[in-house]
Amino acid sequence: MKRAFKYRFRPTDAQAAELSRTFGCVRKVYNLALAARTEAWARQERVNYNQTSAMLTVWKKTEELAYLSEVSSVPLQQCLRHLQTAFTNFFGKRAKYPRFKSRKKSRKSAEYTTSGFRFRDGMLTLAKMAEPLDIVWSRPLPEGAKPSTVTVSQDAAGRWYVSMLCDDPSVKPLPETSAAVGVDVGLDHLLTLSTGEKIANPGHERRDRRQLAKAQQVLAKKAKGDGANRRKARRKVAKVYARIADRRRDGLHKLTTRLVRENQTIVIEDLTVRNMVNNRSLARAISDAAWSEFRSMLEYKAAWYGREVIAVDRFFPSSKLCSACGTLQDKMPLNVRTWTCDCGTTHDRDVNAAINLKAAGLAVSVCGAGVRPQRSTPGGQSATKQKASRREP
């Protein structure tokens, strides 16, 4: 199993300058190749990776772009391969048309293959550098692991990272178990499990909202442009965002790892988060909950360890269906958190939804069919819209 191991490192001034030049050259080559392919597309012609690679050789020989020869050629070739992948996904209707990289907004990164770095005795040295990187080894690499690719990046907060892709023999399927769980996501509680357990929403962004607002106010008062004071203020805002994202990611990793280790089958709801964040009153709370990131982590960890993740159709009326007798309620206002069915069973709204999701997911697993009992609720409002209408806590 291929797995990426990411570490922070502290570059010297010379290394930071070399990497910054490399980032700029990667961005320049990507944009030049994208422009060339776009112009060819307008002429109803197609340009592939081999042609853009030949263009790169010509660009290096021009006086205007001679500086491209000053950095390692490996990251420049890799960015052309990434552009080829972007066009392949576009023609396969899996992604939108590739966009140009912005100097201020695009991610600063460069990817090196085995010909662009040397890894010996735990020391990583990149091409065009005399000294190895000062890596903070927060965890060891797998025994005997040799990186196949190395990606160096710098985030908006100014932190430097190196990611090494290695074979990890420790990633293997876990022993099978009969345990299954339904998971209902929300805002009051981040997760509600079919076992009745409720996991509180930590509200990472809400905890630092005051500091974030203060940093943004300072940034807004700085003169527009690329001045040093504005860069410092922008960096402070980025550091607050980075701290929020780090805490959120750490919490989601712990939750998803626990769910995957304890259960063979995990049933979730197939929510359209992209549409739900259009609700301006709830967009901040939904984004902070990071439901999409939770699902992404859950799916790739389940693939690693031989587990199964089932996504039930978003229009399945999990909240209005009695998990005891199967009666479907006509209406279920969002302010109703507990309700009693005609059969006499009293339900917690979220726990009942999680139990119904589990039952529907297991039915999907057995029969192999999708779950789409109805497209909308009797009141005309879709289940997705109902979930997005909850008030921010």
Side-chain angles (χ1 to χ4, degrees):
M1 175 69 70
K2 289 285 187 180
R3 185 177 180 183
F5 292 82
K6 191 174 182 178
Y7 304 92
R8 286 191 66 175
F9 73 96
R10 302 182 181 90
T12 63
D13 292 341
Q15 290 174 340
E18 176 65 27
L19 289 173
S20 296
R21 284 195 298 269
T22 303
F23 295 159
C25 291
V26 167
R27 183 179 62 251
K28 182 67 174 178
V29 170
Y30 186 94
N31 288 341
L32 287 173
L34 177 56
R37 297 184 69 149
T38 301
E39 292 172 3
W41 177 255
R43 301 191 302 267
Q44 297 185 348
E45 299 176 2
R46 284 197 180 186
V47 176
N48 57 27
Y49 162 75
N50 292 331
Q51 291 170 296
T52 55
S53 181
M55 291 178 186
L56 175 59
T57 302
V58 175
W59 293 334
K60 289 181 178 181
K61 295 179 179 179
T62 63
E63 182 178 354
E64 182 183 1
L65 300 174
Y67 61 86
L68 294 178
S69 300
E70 298 175 2
V71 302
S72 172
S73 62
V74 176
L76 305 185
Q77 294 290 345
Q78 284 299 100
C79 82
L80 295 179
R81 292 188 178 94
H82 294 164
L83 180 61
Q84 177 65 36
T85 302
F87 270 100
T88 300
N89 291 333
F90 168 69
F91 291 127
K93 297 183 179 181
R94 294 184 296 272
K96 295 183 179 179
Y97 193 83
R99 295 184 297 178
F100 291 95
K101 293 184 179 293
S102 167
R103 184 174 66 89
K104 293 183 179 180
K105 297 182 180 179
S106 297
R107 180 172 179 261
K108 300 177 181 179
S109 66
E111 184 178 89
Y112 295 79
T113 56
T114 52
S115 60
F117 66 88
R118 183 177 68 253
F119 185 75
R120 294 178 182 172
D121 301 325
M123 307 289 281
L124 178 66
T125 306
L126 301 178
K128 299 286 185 178
M129 294 185 184
E131 300 178 359
L133 300 181
D134 181 16
I135 299 176
V136 181
W137 296 101
S138 53
R139 54 177 173 169
L141 285 174
E143 186 176 355
K146 294 182 179 179
S148 57
T149 61
V150 169
T151 303
V152 182
S153 61
Q154 185 185 26
D155 65 8
R159 302 178 299 181
W160 295 86
Y161 291 96
V162 58
S163 178
M164 290 176 273
L165 186 64
C166 308
D167 285 317
D168 188 3
S170 66
V171 177
K172 52 188 176 182
L174 294 171
E176 290 193 10
T177 176
S178 60
V181 67
V183 181
D184 181 63
V185 298
L187 297 180
D188 293 333
H189 293 90
L190 183 63
L191 302 178
T192 300
L193 307 183
S194 56
T195 58
E197 179 183 359
K198 292 188 175 184
I199 300 172
N201 187 349
H204 299 292
E205 188 272 341
R206 186 170 61 247
R207 289 170 54 186
D208 282 352
R209 189 170 295 175
R210 182 174 298 178
Q211 288 182 318
L212 179 60
K214 184 177 180 180
Q216 289 174 329
Q217 289 172 358
V218 172
L219 174 60
K221 293 178 182 179
K222 299 299 180 184
K224 303 296 182 182
D226 198 26
N229 288 337
R230 186 172 180 82
R231 286 199 301 271
K232 291 179 182 178
R234 188 185 298 117
R235 183 68 58 82
K236 289 183 179 180
V237 173
K239 286 183 178 180
V240 179
Y241 273 120
R243 185 167 60 247
I244 295 171
D246 288 346
R247 287 203 305 260
R248 180 189 298 123
R249 191 180 305 110
D250 179 68
L252 290 178
H253 271 302
K254 292 175 180 177
L255 281 176
T256 52
T257 299
R258 174 198 157 191
L259 289 174
V260 168
R261 289 188 181 279
E262 294 179 353
N263 301 279
Q264 183 67 33
T265 304
I266 304 166
V267 184
I268 59 177
E269 190 173 2
D270 185 19
L271 298 176
T272 52
V273 180
R274 180 180 299 179
N275 295 337
M276 296 170 71
V277 294
N278 291 331
N279 185 330
R280 298 183 63 181
S281 63
L282 291 175
R284 172 179 279 183
I286 293 174
S287 298
D288 190 29
W291 295 335
S292 294
E293 189 173 5
F294 166 76
R295 175 173 177 173
S296 176
M297 289 184 181
L298 203 60
E299 289 177 338
Y300 80 72
K301 290 180 182 180
W304 279 1
Y305 299 111
R307 302 309 200 195
E308 183 181 18
V309 174
I310 299 175
V312 175
D313 187 86
R314 65 182 66 98
F315 297 105
F316 177 66
S318 57
S319 298
K320 300 192 303 176
L321 190 67
C322 176
S323 58
C325 68
T327 301
L328 182 64
Q329 304 297 312
D330 292 334
K331 294 182 180 180
M332 185 62 61
L334 287 168
N335 61 342
V336 177
R337 308 315 302 171
T338 59
W339 57 280
T340 302
C341 180
D342 295 338
C343 67
T345 306
T346 300
H347 297 288
D348 178 282
R349 181 193 184 97
D350 296 332
V351 175
N352 178 67
I355 294 174
N356 286 326
L357 287 173
K358 174 185 174 181
L362 293 179
V364 171
S365 180
V366 172
C367 67
V371 178
R372 191 183 292 269
Q374 58 181 35
R375 296 294 301 179
S376 61
T377 60
Q381 186 182 27
S382 70
T384 303
K385 292 181 180 179
Q386 279 199 2
K387 186 176 285 291
S389 301
R390 293 185 182 179
R391 296 299 179 187
E392 180 179 358

